[in-house]
Amino acid sequence: MSNMKIVDLAPVLLLYSTLVAPAQSDSELLPYVFEPLPVGSIKPRGWLHDTLRAMGDGLPGNMAEFYVYVSNSTWVGRGYQYTPIAEGASYWFNYIVPLAYGLDDERLKGQVKWFVDYVVDHIPEDGWVGPPLPDGGHDLWGRFPFMLGLTQLLEADPSYVSRVLPVMFRFQEIMNGMLHDNNRGYSGWGAARGHDMMMTTQWLLEHHPEGQKQLLVDNLWMLKAGAFDWSQFFSKAMFPKGNLDMLPDAGIPFEFVHVVNLGQALKWSGVVRRFTHDDTLIQTAWDSVNWTFTYHGSAASAIVGDERIAGTSPSRGAELCGVVETMHSLSYLFKTIGNKAFADRCEATAFNSLTVMTTADHWAHQYVSLTNLPFSHRLPETPFWNVNDVGVTYGLEPHFAELTRSKPCCTTNHPQGFPKFVSNMFVKVGRSGLGHALLGPGSVTATLFRDNTVTIDCETTYPFGSTLFYTINAKKTMYFLLRVPEWALPSSFIREGTSPPSLLTPNKKTGMHLLKIAPGRTLLTYTLHSALRIESRPRDTVAVHLGPLLYALEIQALVSSQPARAWNDNRHKLPDSHLVPQVLDYAMHNASAWAVAIDPSTITIVRGDEQLPLPNPVWTPGGPPGWMEVVGCEIEWGIERGVPAEPPLKGQRRCTAPPRKWRLVPYGSAKIHIAEFPTVELGAESVSEDTEYVGLKEGPQVPLREEKYDL
Ligand SMILES: *[C@@H]1O[C@H](CO)[C@@H](O)[C@H](O)[C@H]1NC(C)=O
Ligand SMILES: *[C@@H]1O[C@H](CO)[C@@H](O)[C@H](O)[C@H]1NC(C)=O
Ligand SMILES: *[C@@H]1O[C@H](CO)[C@@H](O)[C@H](O)[C@H]1NC(C)=O
């Protein structure tokens, strides 16, 4: 093919020989292994579009209208903030940009403009961005999410550049002065999360250095020098290998063991290595993820921590803010370090832990979820380190915790999860390649080397279905890289048009399968086969996985709702002026048994119809097309400190009722669930062939609207 000559293969080949792109002597920053594409160039399709649409129509797209910490926040000259460091509206901005531009929604873009206009038009004499502390002082942290939002905005809509860039540079100068003034305003959350500001600073270096390279590079080094050094925490000497409640106090600073900080800090090594060029951080990145999930990870791929990390127990909480920060870190590590395990885990966290923690209409969310949580209501007592008695309920701000006086940060921070997942689905590889990094339905438009305009459109019901259908339009030859998850069986295949299928040969480290795509239109079918995976969990329990999905016992729910309560007074309804009618707090009670042990050898998989469009919403009871059946029996399994006790040990699992078949469904759809199971040996013969499945048969349950469920 003659046009082979004009394609620049070098970067792709280089990538495949060294995998970690080399430092270029004239560049301050190591290049990405997989480069991000501009926000807005990737659009969600299928269930991901439905999810972002529901977010746009639900709480995330309406906070600017009524949620006082956004609509009437100190950032827009009104009085509301839930903390003097003014992070609430800043968090909001960090997600509303990718949500608005991912959906291409004019109403949401209007919210972005409203906020930017106000902030930019009200920069005071001293150049500070956003509200100062009540005493007039300056604290850096509250600006970090806003700055990340601005980087996304300038990619999505460059018409903002001329107004916004001077504000960003002025802030870089002010920050430089503060950092050189003994790290004034850079402590606590700021110093624990300094890498978030390093990301913005690196973005400026790469996209708009404007002759200010020295200032930016100095800020990178100063931010690092004043930060909590996470490489110290991610060392054999310090990293806590168990539940801190059980370990002697090792004097580890709280900032290191705070679950949201830890989720955010998983990207530390990737961010810092980009400018220090310190390759020992590759191992640190790997250890940080491995140890975090080995010693503090849940079966749903969340970090277990009810404010403070808490081991691997299914009876302890995983915080929603921690979930979305973990996803963001993992997708960043995949782009900078390139190990496939980071992307696999990012999908698992997204499809299991993120989906389960919001209602399908995206008006309510949990603060913490437990892998074994067969009800979701005000708890009579709690097992948590520092989360209150409504932390497991779905609501507007189910957040209050006495000790750290934790605030409704998750309300404004959690919606970054799926919009940023979408922004990270596709990546640029070298000069002539595009990759599908996080799998799911979506499309991308990009211009590659020598003006090669490419669009890739992926239709799929993945992660429910196993086939991804691609339509690629390329002006010239290009390279397309498909991520092959670790769990994919060798029988998985790719097929171009009507040609015979070929097996996959993914790169060992990145998991990417490389395809050369000819100019014109190309149709690809990518089919992933997965086997049932029974994961051993502590105390002789198991978790059941198929592909990236965790499966949970289907439990019938009795749902009731009431107008929302406030984070700092959850006994009384918020005033009407702080609410819209859709905002409700929910209570969910189990209406079927949950204390069940299963025999994993009896699991049968019932696959849904892959051709059907998925129901909308899909992450709701009765939504997903497939399920599993398993033989199990009820056992004695008590409640301890308000939630299911640790699963009974092997000798204590006596059936209290005859064995029968139970249904397992995708965890994200099962708002109340058991997913870390005690096992029993029963055998398929223990139930007769025609034993009817008992349980939830109808589609999505309609919540009962009852006021005052719990008072
Ligand atoms: C929010 O601000 C608007 C406009 O200033 C005002 O009308 C409204 O009463 C404020 N809401 C609350 C709850 O203070
Ligand atoms: C993860 O960490 C554990 C404990 O340090 C170690 O034994 C194991 O080899 C690590 N796994 C990988 C894949 O590096
Ligand atoms: C719900 O769970 C409780 C234990 O928490 C159990 O006693 C009760 O029987 C369950 N409800 C139903 C309807 O099975």
Side-chain angles (χ1 to χ4, degrees):
M1 282 170 44
S2 57
N3 41 12
M4 256 313 289
K5 286 196 186 70
I6 58 159
V7 170
D8 181 25
L9 247 175
V12 173
L13 294 180
L14 188 63
L15 179 72
Y16 273 74
S17 54
T18 65
L19 285 163
V20 178
Q24 284 155 18
S25 50
D26 61 339
S27 156
E28 295 299 332
L29 300 178
L30 289 181
Y32 285 95
V33 177
F34 300 116
E35 200 183 318
L37 290 159
V39 170
S41 62
I42 301 169
K43 295 285 189 296
R45 292 183 52 104
W47 71 263
L48 263 172
H49 181 270
D50 295 342
T51 300
L52 261 63
R53 187 65 268 158
M55 292 176 70
D57 297 340
L59 178 65
N62 282 289
M63 279 194 234
E65 315 281 346
F66 82 94
Y67 189 57
V68 290
Y69 300 122
V70 179
S71 62
N72 289 44
S73 85
T74 47
W75 280 82
V76 289
R78 298 170 192 166
Y80 286 91
Q81 55 188 16
Y82 59 76
T83 162
I85 52 179
E87 66 180 14
S90 179
Y91 270 142
W92 167 84
F93 189 72
N94 184 29
Y95 82 74
I96 199 69
V97 172
L99 181 61
Y101 287 88
L103 279 174
D104 230 339
D105 182 301
E106 294 308 321
R107 187 179 71 89
L108 301 182
K109 288 183 193 171
Q111 296 179 1
V112 172
K113 184 170 182 324
W114 157 73
F115 198 76
V116 174
D117 282 350
Y118 188 92
V119 174
V120 170
D121 291 346
H122 291 80
I123 300 289
E125 284 281 282
D126 66 9
W128 187 247
V129 175
L133 293 169
D135 67 3
H138 291 159
D139 186 84
L140 287 171
W141 159 243
R143 339 286 114 188
F144 293 179
F146 178 66
M147 291 291 160
L148 284 173
L150 289 181
T151 64
Q152 298 172 80
L153 178 61
L154 299 194
E155 290 181 7
D157 186 349
S159 74
Y160 280 96
V161 167
S162 59
R163 293 184 65 210
V164 165
L165 211 52
V167 172
M168 293 177 84
F169 271 106
R170 185 88 190 275
F171 184 73
Q172 289 279 337
E173 278 166 23
I174 296 167
M175 181 170 74
N176 192 260
M178 293 169 70
L179 295 171
H180 281 284
D181 180 15
N182 203 16
N183 293 312
R184 181 164 47 86
Y186 188 48
S187 59
W189 287 160
R193 301 167 175 181
H195 34 279
D196 279 30
M197 193 61 206
M198 294 177 207
M199 284 178 78
T200 294
T201 308
Q202 294 181 357
W203 185 90
L204 286 170
L205 258 177
E206 284 176 310
H207 293 83
H208 294 282
E210 317 292 351
Q212 295 267 37
K213 199 169 133 179
Q214 240 181 332
L215 168 73
L216 297 171
V217 171
D218 188 53
N219 275 342
L220 286 176
W221 287 93
M222 289 304 293
L223 282 165
K224 176 174 178 291
F228 282 88
D229 180 359
W230 283 90
S231 347
Q232 223 177 44
F233 180 67
F234 297 128
S235 69
K236 286 208 170 95
M238 197 189 280
F239 193 87
K241 298 186 170 59
N243 182 352
L244 289 169
D245 300 357
M246 313 291 187
L247 298 176
D249 181 10
I252 304 174
F254 175 65
E255 280 80 359
F256 282 140
V257 293
H258 178 260
V259 66
V260 183
N261 285 358
L262 177 55
Q264 257 166 293
L266 293 178
K267 64 180 176 288
W268 161 270
S269 318
V271 176
V272 170
R273 179 173 164 266
R274 287 205 73 205
F275 66 96
T276 61
H277 303 195
D278 173 1
D279 281 344
T280 65
L281 289 171
I282 296 174
Q283 185 61 37
T284 311
W286 180 246
D287 289 342
S288 64
V289 174
N290 178 15
W291 296 347
T292 295
F293 286 95
T294 301
Y295 301 111
H296 303 279
S298 77
S301 197
I303 306 175
V304 178
D306 21 56
E307 283 285 301
R308 194 176 78 168
I309 51 174
T312 53
S313 167
S315 305
R316 295 295 293 269
E319 213 175 294
L320 181 52
C321 259
V323 167
V324 295
E325 294 293 354
T326 296
M327 281 171 54
H328 187 229
S329 287
L330 290 168
S331 67
Y332 181 82
L333 284 184
F334 185 63
K335 288 180 293 187
T336 49
I337 312 267
N339 293 67
K340 60 186 173 183
F342 300 136
D344 281 352
R345 191 169 278 290
C346 184
E347 281 187 16
T349 309
F351 298 152
N352 299 304
S353 283
L354 178 56
T355 49
V356 85
M357 291 184 78
T358 58
T359 52
D361 65 2
H362 288 268
W363 278 101
H365 66 276
Q366 290 176 300
Y367 189 52
V368 291
S369 192
L370 283 57
T371 314
N372 287 343
L373 185 69
F375 38 72
S376 159
H377 48 64
R378 186 191 291 279
L379 301 175
E381 52 179 336
T382 68
F384 308 124
W385 184 71
N386 186 29
V387 172
N388 75 350
D389 57 356
V390 293
V392 301
T393 63
Y394 292 80
L396 175 68
E397 3 178 80
H399 294 278
F400 182 64
E402 316 283 340
L403 285 178
T404 56
R405 303 191 59 83
S406 99
K407 308 296 194 300
C409 51
C410 281
T411 304
T412 44
N413 190 24
H414 83 272
Q416 68 161 293
F418 273 122
K420 289 196 180 180
F421 182 92
V422 168
S423 303
N424 286 304
M425 278 175 95
F426 291 92
V427 288
K428 197 163 165 232
V429 194
R431 287 196 283 185
S432 303
L434 288 176
H436 199 175
L438 301 175
L439 303 180
S443 64
V444 59
T445 304
T447 303
L448 302 176
F449 190 46
R450 303 205 183 187
D451 216 19
N452 186 7
T453 316
V454 178
T455 61
I456 299 178
D457 189 57
C458 176
E459 274 188 77
T460 181
T461 59
Y462 181 90
F464 304 105
S466 55
T467 301
L468 298 93
F469 302 92
Y470 294 91
T471 307
I472 302 178
N473 280 292
K475 219 158 89 182
K476 298 172 183 161
T477 301
M478 55 95 53
Y479 293 86
F480 184 42
L481 293 90
L482 280 167
R483 195 180 114 259
V484 182
E486 184 67 36
W487 47 258
L489 295 173
S491 60
S492 304
F493 63 86
I494 181 97
R495 167 183 230 150
E496 190 175 330
T498 53
S499 57
S502 37
L503 295 180
L504 302 161
T505 50
N507 179 279
K508 278 207 180 68
K509 186 165 176 187
T510 62
M512 290 294 217
H513 175 84
L514 179 66
L515 289 165
K516 194 172 122 194
I517 304 294
R521 185 161 176 266
T522 303
L523 300 178
L524 294 175
T525 312
Y526 175 35
T527 298
L528 284 165
H529 292 152
S530 58
L532 186 67
R533 297 193 313 289
I534 308 291
E535 179 196 4
S536 296
R537 299 286 305 172
R539 295 174 69 93
D540 286 312
T541 60
V542 295
V544 178
H545 304 264
L546 184 65
L549 296 179
L550 171 70
Y551 278 72
L553 182 73
E554 182 180 59
I555 299 169
Q556 226 158 358
L558 198 64
V559 183
S560 55
S561 58
Q562 65 175 9
R565 266 60 181 154
W567 62 275
N568 53 1
D569 174 9
N570 63 42
R571 306 258 157 198
H572 298 96
K573 176 176 147 335
L574 276 163
D576 285 338
S577 58
H578 291 230
L579 288 177
V580 289
Q582 299 94 321
V583 175
L584 295 169
D585 287 352
Y586 293 90
M588 302 183 189
H589 293 264
N590 68 302
S592 63
W594 60 263
V596 171
I598 62 166
D599 182 344
S601 72
T602 65
I603 292 177
T604 54
I605 298 167
V606 183
R607 291 194 188 269
D609 186 343
E610 290 224 352
Q611 303 308 315
L612 285 177
L614 292 169
N616 178 19
V618 68
W619 298 105
T620 195
W627 66 88
M628 294 179 190
E629 285 180 0
V630 63
V631 173
C633 68
E634 288 182 62
I635 58 168
E636 268 172 40
W637 182 354
I639 299 282
E640 210 176 291
R641 294 194 291 168
V643 299
E646 298 281 345
L649 290 170
K650 255 191 175 157
Q652 303 157 1
R653 298 171 185 167
R654 202 178 46 79
C655 292
T656 56
R660 46 163 269 217
K661 281 186 183 167
W662 302 81
R663 190 177 280 201
L664 308 184
V665 294
Y667 181 80
S669 69
K671 306 304 167 190
I672 59 174
H673 48 254
I674 293 285
E676 207 163 303
F677 294 99
T679 53
V680 279
E681 279 175 39
L682 296 168
E685 328 66 64
S686 62
V687 293
S688 64
E689 272 303 311
D690 57 345
T691 308
E692 243 221 278
Y693 163 75
V694 197
L696 187 75
K697 282 193 184 138
E698 298 83 42
Q701 300 164 86
V702 182
L704 308 172
R705 301 261 156 153
E706 289 168 8
E707 299 227 340
K708 294 196 173 172
Y709 63 75
D710 65 355
L711 299 174

